[in-house]
Every structure is written in C-alpha cells, then in structure tokens.
Amino acid sequence: MYRYRAYGFIIDAEMPLPELRSAVDGPADVAIRYGAVGRPPAPPDPQTSAYAVSPDDVRFFWELVGSFRVRAGREILVDPVPDVEQALLRIPLLGSVLGVLLHQRGSFVLHASAVDVDGRAAIFLGPKGQGKSTTAALLVGRGHPLVADDIVALDMGPLDKGALDMGAGALGAPAPTAGESIRLLPSFPQMKLFDDAAAAAFGDDPEDLPLLASLIPKRARRTPDRFADRPLAPGAIYVLADGPELSISRLTGQDAVCEVIGSSIPARFGSDLLDGPASLTHFQRAMTLLRQVPVYQLARPRDLAGLGRLGAAIEAMLRQPVGAGA
C-alpha cells in the first residue's frame, strides 16, 4: 500500500502514483484500490466516458484504459484492461475520476488551472485547448507556485446567506473582496504541457521531459520547487478567450454565472450528479464564489511570444489591494 496527499486529504493506494506527494502520518481519507467494475452495457457518454451516474456513485470506462468506480467521496475502484500502460491509467484517474471524488467530498470543483501569485490564486477557465495549462505554466515559470493543473478544488466553508440573491449586490458589486472563507486546495506538483508551451514557459528542452504516456503528445512537467504547500484564497478568475490584442474586462451577472457553473465538474454530468438537494447546494456554492471573487475575460492572441506581457498583466492585477480592479 502506498500513501499520498493531495487536495488536503490522505490517500492510501494499491498502486504507485508518482505524480502525488508522499504522506506518512494520519488516517487515510480516501482509498484507491483494484477491484471489479466491469464494462458498461452500452457505450458511455463520449464527452465524459461516464455511465451509471448518481451523486454518490459514478462509473467510468475508457476502451484503452479500463473502468473506474467512484463511491461516496471515499473510494476509487480501478479495473484496468490487461497490460495497460500504468502512466496511461493514471491520466484519467488523476483527472476526471479524482475530480468527481472531490465533488462527492463537498468541494466546488472546476476544470481549470490555478497559480499562487503573492498569496492570491489566479484561476484560469476556458474550453479545452484554450490554454489554461499554458497560461498557468507561464506564471509558474515566472516563479509563482502551482496550485493545480486541470482540476481545481475549492473548499467553500459555510454557504453565504446571500448566495441566492441574483441582484447587483450578489453579482455586480463594483468592489468584490477575496473570500476569506474560500480556499483553493493544493493538488500535486505536475503540469501537462505540449512541447512549445514547456519551452516558452520554462525554457525546457521538451526532449528532456517524459511524455505523459506513450499515446499522449503532452509532457509531464514536474514543479516540486514551485508548488503551493497550503490552501489559499482565490484572487481572481480569468476566462480565457482569443483576441487580436491583450485585454482584460470584468464579467458580471449571467455571463459570470454561466462561465463558472459551465466550467464546474457537475456541468459535464447534468442532473445525474446533482440529484435533489445537491443541485441547489451546487448553485449556492457558485453564487458564494461569485459574490466574493471577481471574474474577468482575458483575451489575447494565441502567440507564445506574447506570454511575458500576459504574465506581467496578471501579476499587476493580483498585486492590487483587495477590492480594486477593472
């Protein structure tokens, strides 16, 4: 049995997970073990690879990898196909599968990347391929600790009593404050990057970095010396978009709601993962986040040569006094 820590809890695993940090003391919160899950009776949702979804029990299946079952935020069963490459097996395990477990444990989970800029987290949202990992890597390359790549989990604390107020006081206040009750939970010190992003952000020779797996064209870029070692408050959420030049503009109201909820892990599974009261709780948590943390659209050219200016702009915004901003 191997013991690790990630996202604020301790994991006992029956297989090595070298991406994670080792842990020694304390009882385990989560068990990852081999067990029979089986193949689905019909092809799973091609967008999520999930089937038999309920709030406390989700099953996944990937043809080249195997099956996974996530139960009650405490257990992940792994049922690999014969002779699967272990590195390939760990990609969904530490991605979508772990994201669902975090949701089951009560975190507000985003498909996003996050970096610690002077004690305040910059969270990057956007569709697949929009550059969330690349933008985060840029800041890590400038000396800022990584918080999470791909799966961002927020510990929300008690729900904000005004979370359901849809008026200007909830979503359009001109001077939002960083939420002291909201904390990002550090994941593990590794990023998934294409060759050009690793070279631009870190100056790496990509050939010196291992591939995530033999079938995956991204590299595994470890960041053990630049990793957040404790939870921290979110400073701002940036929704990435293409644009002819660098621009950062505030999103409020329905625009902000749609971006945040649409980037959450439950949005990929619909009502099956948010049955009954869980749906209202999820919405309340989104409103709490939006009341306390500003959301911006960050448009920029898709040109790696402009990463330096982009990094400086994000740093300048997060170094303003809390409550200041566009």
Side-chain angles (χ1 to χ4, degrees):
M1 187 70 71
Y2 301 86
R3 174 159 285 198
Y4 301 101
R5 54 196 169 103
Y7 293 104
F9 54 83
I10 295 177
I11 300 169
D12 276 350
E14 289 186 352
M15 71 287 292
L17 302 173
E19 297 85 354
L20 305 190
R21 296 176 296 167
S22 297
V24 177
D25 298 327
D29 304 291
V30 172
I32 300 177
R33 61 186 182 86
Y34 292 112
V37 178
R39 297 171 66 98
D45 181 344
Q47 298 299 316
T48 66
S49 295
Y51 68 101
V53 178
S54 69
D56 291 322
D57 194 340
V58 179
R59 302 185 193 197
F60 294 88
F61 176 74
W62 285 270
E63 187 73 37
L64 298 178
V65 179
S67 301
F68 301 83
R69 187 174 186 180
V70 190
R71 298 197 287 202
R74 296 191 58 83
E75 180 182 57
I76 297 174
L77 293 180
V78 182
D79 189 358
V81 299
D83 301 320
V84 65
E85 182 184 1
Q86 287 296 302
L88 184 63
L89 183 72
R90 295 195 301 272
I91 291 174
L93 173 60
L94 300 179
S96 298
V97 175
L98 187 56
V100 166
L101 179 126
L102 286 160
H103 169 76
Q104 291 177 344
R105 292 182 63 84
S107 293
F108 189 83
V109 187
L110 294 167
H111 182 210
S113 295
V115 177
D116 175 359
V117 179
D118 300 342
R120 300 171 66 196
I123 303 171
F124 301 105
L125 307 182
K128 183 177 180 179
Q130 187 55 249
K132 298 180 291 295
S133 293
T134 299
T135 307
L138 156 69
L139 290 168
V140 177
R142 292 169 68 92
H144 303 289
L146 175 70
V147 181
D149 183 34
D150 193 42
I151 299 294
V152 167
L154 298 105
D155 180 2
M156 304 295 289
L159 286 174
D160 188 325
K161 294 183 182 299
L164 296 182
D165 178 4
M166 293 294 292
L171 299 177
T177 58
E180 290 304 312
S181 63
I182 302 175
R183 288 289 183 271
L184 268 74
L185 304 175
S187 60
F188 48 90
Q190 178 170 294
M191 308 195 74
K192 298 181 287 187
L193 300 172
F194 287 112
D195 287 4
D196 57 353
F202 295 103
D204 291 331
D205 180 347
E207 295 299 322
D208 293 336
L209 301 175
L211 289 169
L212 285 170
S214 59
L215 298 177
I216 306 297
K218 287 188 174 183
R219 303 282 176 174
R221 211 308 178 169
R222 299 282 294 170
T223 62
D225 57 335
R226 297 179 190 174
F227 184 72
D229 60 358
R230 61 179 59 87
L232 73 157
I237 296 170
Y238 298 96
V239 180
L240 301 179
D242 294 331
E245 60 184 7
L246 175 62
S247 66
I248 302 176
S249 57
R250 179 78 185 280
L251 295 179
T252 59
Q254 194 68 22
D255 292 336
V257 173
C258 290
E259 293 291 353
V260 168
I261 291 183
S263 295
S264 68
I265 287 292
R268 303 178 62 188
F269 300 92
S271 59
D272 290 336
L273 197 59
L274 294 174
D275 186 32
S279 179
L280 177 59
T281 298
H282 182 65
F283 183 73
Q284 288 175 319
R285 293 192 185 283
M287 294 303 100
T288 295
L289 179 63
L290 288 165
R291 281 172 60 89
Q292 299 186 44
V293 181
V295 180
Y296 301 95
Q297 183 183 76
L298 195 166
R300 77 278 186 253
R302 299 296 288 272
D303 178 9
L304 292 175
L307 285 179
R309 182 168 173 245
L310 174 61
I314 295 169
E315 290 168 342
M317 285 192 69
L318 288 171
R319 286 167 176 165
Q320 294 180 40
V322 173

